[in-house]
Amino acid sequence: MMISNELLLTYFYLLVYIVLSSGVILYNKWVLSPKYFNFPLPITLTMIHMGFSGLVAFFLIRVFKVVSPVKMTLEIYATCVIPISAFFAASLWFGNTAYLFISVAFIQMLKALMPVATFFMAVICGTDKLRYDVFLNMFLVSVGVVISSYGEIHFNVVGTVYQVTGIFAEALRLVLTQVLLQKKGLTLNPITSLYYIAPCSFVFLFIPWYLLEKPEMEVTQIQFNFWIFFSNALCALALNFSIFLVIGRTGAVTIRVAGVLKDWILIALSTLIFPESTITALNITGYAIALCGVVMYNYLKIKDVRASQLPVDTMLDRTAKELKMEKKSSHLYLPDDNADLGENSTKNGSSDPMVDEEAPLIPSTRISHLGRSNLSS
């Protein structure tokens, strides 16, 4: 069976997202951790990311004219862009702050709530339906990650609270982004999305930065390396592009399930880069269960796509046959002698039942009208 180019492109976007997300997480941990680069200012780092992303998007749209800005109304900006930007800023702020207290491996383990949180948020917002089989897969994924996190040794309450808060903020952000891209009638590519969202997120981050980190920067000597922060912001920009691309092609739940696979890879890499991250047999068992849930969920998604495409193909075939029969009947039509025959055939159910059978699939008013006009001329 051949795989379509669209499906291959979707899997490619998912792969790019997994690679970039893993790289940014490891990079942020290295920058923020007191044991390594020692830049313990997560809000400042996040503001650098948002400022750089917004500046690049501005130059691509306003200066180089790579893409055109969309017609953004005040209502859409207030009801969509501002809430998405707020939750986007909160998820990055809380998620980056957690790196100061807990390891990368444990952070990924705590994301057991993410598939469940995103699924139920999608159901509440109307972007997904509450299905029993999907719910069981979300539950299986979450149970697997919970099992893997049971044996965590380096537990920290503050870091755990930050990470869990960031999880719920990110779940809302993902679902709202899907609404913005798919349900508001906007054609937003990754550049225009960052053009509107990144500056607004920067403003939301400025308030906690002014209250929490600005006083610390005034009294503490913080080292600053331009190339470190430039490369870090560049990776974050590429990650933002990949997130919007994946959400635009799939959905909030799919990207979070793909995130579980990313967590599996990331935990293995973190144990090689950061000695404080360790993996036990219980971790491996839990993530194996989670991976089974990912495979089952992807199977259901493919099955749903095939089921949704089958009625469309059947509809097209039947419509072509109907038009063909209509064309033949117009050539064989005898206007005077067969009028009563046509009326009787309609009463006996040889004509209207075929139209009624097409009615649930497509609005067949035009086909019905043409068929009946030949019989009643």
Side-chain angles (χ1 to χ4, degrees), residues 245-262:
L245 286 173
V246 171
I247 293 178
R249 297 188 65 87
T250 56
V253 178
T254 303
I255 194 175
R256 287 318 311 164
V257 174
V260 175
L261 179 60
K262 174 211 66 177

Side-chain angles (χ1 to χ4, degrees), residues 13-21 239 242-243 246 255-256:
Y13 286 158
L14 287 171
L15 178 62
V16 171
Y17 158 73
I18 291 173
V19 172
L20 288 175
S21 180
L239 175 60
S242 68
I243 288 175
V246 171
I255 194 175
R256 287 318 311 164

